[in-house]
Amino acid sequence: MLRHILGLAKKHPSLIPLFVFLGTGATGATLYLLRLALFSPDVCWDRNNPEPWNKLGPNDQYKFYSVNVDYDKLKKERPDF
């Protein structure tokens, strides 16, 4: 498959940007899915702890990007369970 794509790129050099952008998009999507699966509090890989979101502190950042929130300065505003 890779040999076929390289052969097409040699015959038609105008396809090279297409292959680069497709490869970059596929890599980015794969890395984002891995990030969601490994670091998201919504996914539970441990069956011994059925509620892993209770272990999160108030200053744990689990969003991908936050604009106006500084997570280091947040205080705890919830009860302990």
Side-chain angles (χ1 to χ4, degrees):
M1 181 75 182
L2 185 61
R3 189 175 283 183
H4 180 67
I5 290 174
L6 290 175
L8 277 175
K10 286 181 183 177
K11 287 182 184 178
H12 305 287
S14 61
L15 291 177
I16 293 174
L18 177 69
F19 295 146
V20 169
F21 284 115
L22 282 174
T24 304
T27 303
T30 303
L31 290 175
Y32 183 68
L33 285 175
L34 282 173
R35 181 194 172 276
L36 284 178
L38 296 177
F39 299 113
S40 178
D42 299 328
V43 179
C44 181
W45 294 99
D46 185 17
R47 291 185 185 206
N48 297 328
N49 186 9
E51 297 175 346
W53 49 87
N54 285 336
K55 292 191 301 185
L56 290 176
N59 55 0
D60 290 337
Q61 180 179 359
Y62 60 89
K63 291 186 175 183
F64 184 70
Y65 180 73
S66 66
V67 179
N68 295 325
V69 179
D70 187 14
Y71 284 93
D72 293 332
K73 296 179 183 176
L74 287 179
K75 295 180 181 177
K76 183 177 181 181
E77 296 178 356
R78 61 183 181 180
D80 289 328
F81 290 108

